[in-house]
């Protein structure tokens, strides 16, 4: 088992939540406002690009063939088919290197399947589950998906809620500034705990 929260390594922060719970919005706010600097891990995906999305900024948009090739090459830290649409999403190992090079923590906005894989590999990752009382309405208001896709996402959201107990923190995003502040405090609390931990020295005889 590997762990990355050790000194000189990258602290991973995992953020999940149902579609429409506000993950992208919260990520934008955290990148701007968190006093602990974060690098957003840019995921690879096979899903079609939405209007306004930029390759390499929002996602690395890959064909199914390219995705499979990179998977076989061992480029992914985790990957999963999300929302039962046949579309794959995955965290590239190189994204952790990017965070490390920038001297920041790595923020992974991934689904519950990906979070499970990450938490098994990196038990000291900070895991946050975001939820809201009206995700279905928000999804409709955002109007980026067809009705069929919305229905699939609502179904996924229900099963995702059942996995919320796997996460160390559950944050309610009804009032955006409150949710952002709560997450910042969680991160700062971990930073303080890490600073208080005695430095391990190797045993000498
Ligand atoms: P996700 O990335 O989880 O699918 P988004 O960040 O795209 O969710 O948010 C879904 C919609 O809800 C967007 O239109 C966003 O502007 C809106 N939204 C996000 N957080 C809040 C909030 N706290 N209050 C009201 N609307 C919000
Ligand atoms: P969207 O298509 O709305 O951008 O994202 C759909 C879902 O895919 C979200 O729940 C998001 O958390 C998840 N997702 C995005 N990137 C990754 C990834 O790299 N790995 C996994 N497992 N899920 C991801």
């Amino acid at each position: 088992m590997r762990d990355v929260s050790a000194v000189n390594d990258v602290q991973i922060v995992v953020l999940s939540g149902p579609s429409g719970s506000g993950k992208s919005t919260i990520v934008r706010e955290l990148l701007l406002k968190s006093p602990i600097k974060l690098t957003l891990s840019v995921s690879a995906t096979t899903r079609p690009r939405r209007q306004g999305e930029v390759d390499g900024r929002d996602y690395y948009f890959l064909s199914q063939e390219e995705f499979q090739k990179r998977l076989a090459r061992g480029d992914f830290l985790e990957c999963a088919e999300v929302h039962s649409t046949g579309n794959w999403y995955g965290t590239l190992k190189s994204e952790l290197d990017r965070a490390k090079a920038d001297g920041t923590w790595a923020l992974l906005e991934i689904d519950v399947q990906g979070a499970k894989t990450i938490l098994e590999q990196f038990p000291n990752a900070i895991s946050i589950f975001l939820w809201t009382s009206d995700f279905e309405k928000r999804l409709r208001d955002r109007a980026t998906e067809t009705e069929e896709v919305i229905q699939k996402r609502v179904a996924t959201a229900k099963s995702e809620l059942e996995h919320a107990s796997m996460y160390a923190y559950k944050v309610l995003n009804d009032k955006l500034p409150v949710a952002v502040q709560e997450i910042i405090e969680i991160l700062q609390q971990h930073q303080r705990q890490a600073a208080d931990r005695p430095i391990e020295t190797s045993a000498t005889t």
Side-chain angles (χ1 to χ4, degrees):
M1 190 188 295
R2 288 179 296 158
D3 195 22
V4 285
S5 63
V7 184
N8 288 337
D9 235 326
V10 181
Q11 173 67 59
I12 295 178
V13 182
V14 173
L15 180 70
S16 307
S19 203
S21 58
K23 297 182 296 297
S24 313
T25 310
I26 294 264
V27 162
R28 272 198 301 276
E29 291 284 304
L30 287 174
L31 293 178
L32 282 174
K33 297 187 179 150
S34 170
I36 297 171
K37 289 299 155 209
L38 303 164
T39 295
L40 177 63
S41 162
V42 177
S43 296
T45 184
T46 62
R47 87 142 159 76
R49 195 148 56 93
R50 288 185 195 136
Q51 202 178 6
E53 285 183 331
V54 176
D55 186 41
R57 184 193 69 187
D58 300 293
Y59 281 105
Y60 298 108
F61 293 96
L62 304 181
S63 65
Q64 290 278 2
E65 294 72 36
E66 277 175 290
F67 197 99
Q68 289 305 323
K69 206 160 78 188
R70 298 199 67 168
L71 178 60
R73 217 163 63 188
D75 288 358
F76 289 109
L77 211 50
E78 62 73 34
C79 71
E81 186 200 341
V82 181
H83 297 311
S84 317
T85 51
N87 288 323
W88 284 78
Y89 295 76
T91 306
L92 292 160
K93 290 177 182 166
S94 51
E95 290 299 293
L96 283 196
D97 299 336
R98 202 161 61 81
K100 188 170 178 173
D102 288 348
T104 66
W105 292 9
L107 177 59
L108 275 54
E109 195 234 287
I110 58 177
D111 86 323
V112 293
Q113 305 170 76
K116 186 164 182 287
T117 308
I118 294 290
L119 292 173
E120 280 163 8
Q121 287 185 75
F122 308 110
N124 285 340
I126 302 168
S127 58
I128 301 169
F129 189 86
L130 198 65
W131 64 286
T132 173
S133 24
D134 64 354
F135 66 89
E136 189 170 347
K137 177 179 180 301
R138 283 191 199 163
L139 213 50
R140 284 183 198 288
D141 290 350
R142 194 175 68 185
T144 51
E145 262 75 36
T146 61
E147 180 58 31
E148 189 194 348
V149 171
I150 289 177
Q151 288 304 329
K152 278 195 173 140
R153 288 184 174 220
V154 168
T156 310
K158 286 183 179 144
S159 71
E160 283 191 333
L161 284 173
E162 288 162 19
H163 291 96
S165 61
M166 165 175 93
Y167 294 76
Y169 302 95
K170 279 131 217 115
V171 172
L172 175 68
N173 175 28
D174 277 354
K175 293 203 170 68
L176 184 63
V178 174
V180 171
Q181 190 51 36
E182 198 176 328
I183 294 176
I184 287 176
E185 280 166 20
I186 291 168
L187 303 185
Q188 287 179 316
Q189 182 196 328
H190 273 262
Q191 191 182 47
R192 281 194 298 273
Q193 281 168 359
D196 289 347
R197 236 176 265 144
I199 296 168
E200 282 176 28
T201 50
S202 41
T204 49
T205 50

